[in-house]
Amino acid sequence: GEVQTFTTEDVKVEASAPTVTATTATFSGKVTVKEEDFESLYFGIAWSEEKNFENGVDEIEAEFQDNSTFVVTIEGLKMDKKYYYAPYISQLSSKYGEIKAFTTASASMSIAVSEITQTSVTLEGQVAEGAKDDSIEYGILYSTNENLEVGAEGCIRKALTDILDSDGKYSLKIEG
């Protein structure tokens, strides 16, 4: 993806565009720094729900992995929400690179009837690409009447979390 470069007199930070799910954004990159500046350097990704960081930012500090590379993940983001981010460097004060944006995935899923008999129905579908996230519970709500409200008489809620495969696909047979 796109690489953003941020340079000060002694430090160069390169950060890739993030890999985004419904609730996370993962950034990777590389930092080039003079050896004598290494100990006093903090760097990472700053983010905000507001463009231009008008009311402050959250920052997540990155740590070197090897050969000056880093990976950092922001967790707990809201689904289907636009966020603004920039790499930052902090020695005595924070300096920010160019502000860019990403949008988290929505947690949508598809559903289709694959088989129906007199006593059962099999439903199949898939969680939208990029939206499969272990912190989200996906499910189906079905009823024997028109009232599709949780807790209503005849209404059943079935969680799909335990039957989603690694690609976010599911197959559910309802009998009765």
Side-chain angles (χ1 to χ4, degrees), residues 31-51:
V31 177
T32 307
V33 60
K34 292 179 183 177
E35 187 67 34
E36 61 269 18
D37 292 330
F38 182 78
E39 291 298 318
S40 64
L41 175 69
Y42 300 95
F43 65 94
I45 300 294
W47 78 96
S48 174
E49 292 182 20
E50 297 182 26
K51 192 174 187 177

Side-chain angles (χ1 to χ4, degrees), residues 108-157:
S108 63
M109 60 184 239
S110 64
I111 185 169
V113 174
S114 67
E115 181 182 359
I116 191 165
T117 70
Q118 285 185 312
T119 59
S120 70
V121 63
T122 301
L123 305 173
E124 293 182 346
Q126 182 171 5
V127 172
E129 185 175 340
K132 186 174 184 303
D133 188 305
D134 292 337
S135 68
I136 300 170
E137 180 181 273
Y138 299 92
I140 295 177
L141 193 61
Y142 61 95
S143 179
T144 56
N145 58 49
E146 294 178 13
N147 192 358
L148 270 176
E149 292 184 28
V150 174
E153 185 177 334
C155 191
I156 299 168
R157 179 175 175 254

